[in-house]
Amino acid sequence: MRTTRSAPGNRLPGVFGEIDHIGIAVEDLDGAIALYRDQLGMREQHRETVEEQGVHAVLLEIGDAHIELIAPIGPETGVARFIERNGPGMHHVAYRTDDIDDTLRRLVEQGMRMIDREPRVGIRGSRVAFVHPKSTGGVLTEIVQPAEDH
Ligand code: CO
């Protein structure tokens, strides 16, 4: 990773907007919902199977952000492999942007290694892209541009 200089013209800070969600990998979606919704009282907002990411996903509200519970669709998915290696737990941090193409370009400009060079379809019709954890100190990082109506 290139080091960042605070020279004039450097456009950092401000690559990201705000936290959109924290992704949590779970084996047992119903058990996780029982924890977050029923024990911790977060409102369940949305459920969806996101084929593109190989997950069953549930969004729960926490302030202006969400907890995103993700359970693998099958054993060959990235999230299944993650759980195999690390067990269930925190999986990724997602930052919101209103212009994912610009954010992607700026991340590449900053020398970040991208998993996705082009946005793909995420939950609720959002556009998402992932930054490789090798560029971000081991934290899988997602950028998300919500669909217009969310
Ligand atoms: Co996510």
Side-chain angles (χ1 to χ4, degrees), residues 94-131:
Y95 298 91
R96 199 176 301 146
T97 172
D98 53 14
D99 185 348
I100 196 168
D101 299 298
D102 183 59
T103 303
L104 261 167
R105 192 177 48 69
R106 292 176 68 183
L107 287 167
V108 170
E109 237 173 56
Q110 289 299 321
M112 300 289 172
R113 180 167 150 198
M114 302 301 300
I115 292 173
D116 300 304
R117 284 272 175 161
E118 300 290 334
R120 50 175 151 146
V121 178
I123 196 165
R124 282 199 297 200
S126 57
R127 299 171 75 210
V128 304
F130 286 88
V131 186

Side-chain angles (χ1 to χ4, degrees), residues 21 53 68 92 94 130 142:
H21 63 267
Q53 289 170 40
E68 179 186 70
H92 64 273
F130 286 88
E142 177 182 359

